């Protein structure tokens, strides 16, 4: 059986279908929430001009702490490690004879063991 998945882009402004070659993405933060908009290139230009004019004289609120990609990924895992780091730790711990599942959380003491060993990569 073959499965074909087709992605159809729809403008968040007009509701019209957008061809991929005409797609423009915009991330807008409003009232503390971030929105990812799908727009045509023309709609993007109009939104950009409107927002540029709107915020021209506005006060800029600089973030106090920058959030890196790693910290977002790490916080999502619950252990403070990125998905890649968890995979490395899991493989190394399995080589050391630890019974570690292929998925799910790692016990804090096992993560600590991996970190104390210098965060080594598995030999595989």
């Amino acid at each position: 059986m073959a499965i074909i998945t087709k992605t159809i882009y729809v403008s968040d402004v007009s509701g019209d279908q957008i061809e991929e070659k005409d797609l423009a993405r915009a991330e807008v933060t409003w009232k503390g929430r971030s929105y990812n908009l799908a727009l045509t290139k023309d709609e993007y230009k109009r939104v950009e001009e409107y927002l540029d004019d709107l915020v021209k004289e506005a006060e800029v609120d600089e973030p106090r702490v920058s959030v890196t990609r790693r910290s977002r990924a790490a916080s999502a895992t619950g252990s403070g490690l990125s998905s890649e780091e968890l995979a490395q730790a899991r493989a190394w711990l399995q080589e050391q004879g630890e019974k570690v599942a292929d998925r799910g959380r790692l016990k804090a003491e096992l993560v600590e063991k991996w970190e104390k060993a210098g965060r080594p990569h598995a030999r595989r």
Side-chain angles (χ1 to χ4, degrees):
M1 170 175 63
I3 298 174
I4 298 173
T5 303
K6 182 177 181 180
T7 301
I8 298 174
Y9 298 100
V10 177
S11 167
D12 289 313
V13 172
S14 66
D16 295 335
Q17 187 171 329
I18 306 171
E19 296 297 323
E20 191 167 3
K21 64 181 175 55
D22 296 323
L23 177 68
R25 308 287 281 171
E27 182 179 336
V28 177
T29 301
W30 178 255
K31 295 184 178 182
R33 296 183 72 182
S34 292
Y35 300 88
N36 292 304
L37 302 175
L39 308 165
T40 65
K41 290 178 181 176
D42 288 338
E43 290 169 341
Y44 182 92
K45 286 178 189 173
R46 290 198 320 262
V47 169
E48 181 179 43
E49 289 169 3
Y50 176 77
L51 289 175
D52 284 346
D53 189 48
L54 185 66
V55 300
K56 190 182 327 179
E57 302 297 325
E59 182 179 323
V60 177
D61 185 21
E62 296 293 335
R64 294 189 184 116
V65 178
S66 65
V67 179
T68 63
R69 282 181 174 255
R70 182 181 178 282
S71 65
R72 284 185 193 144
S75 64
T77 65
S79 66
L81 300 175
S82 69
S83 298
E84 295 81 24
E85 290 170 324
L86 277 174
Q88 291 169 6
R90 192 179 307 281
W92 182 81
L93 287 163
Q94 288 171 341
E95 280 185 2
Q96 305 310 303
E98 295 289 344
K99 295 196 186 244
V100 179
D102 291 334
R103 296 176 49 180
R105 288 192 168 201
L106 291 177
K107 292 182 182 178
E109 53 269 16
L110 293 177
V111 172
E112 187 176 346
K113 178 179 179 177
W114 176 69
E115 290 179 331
K116 283 185 179 178
R119 296 178 163 224
H121 291 270
R123 299 179 208 267
R124 297 176 196 182

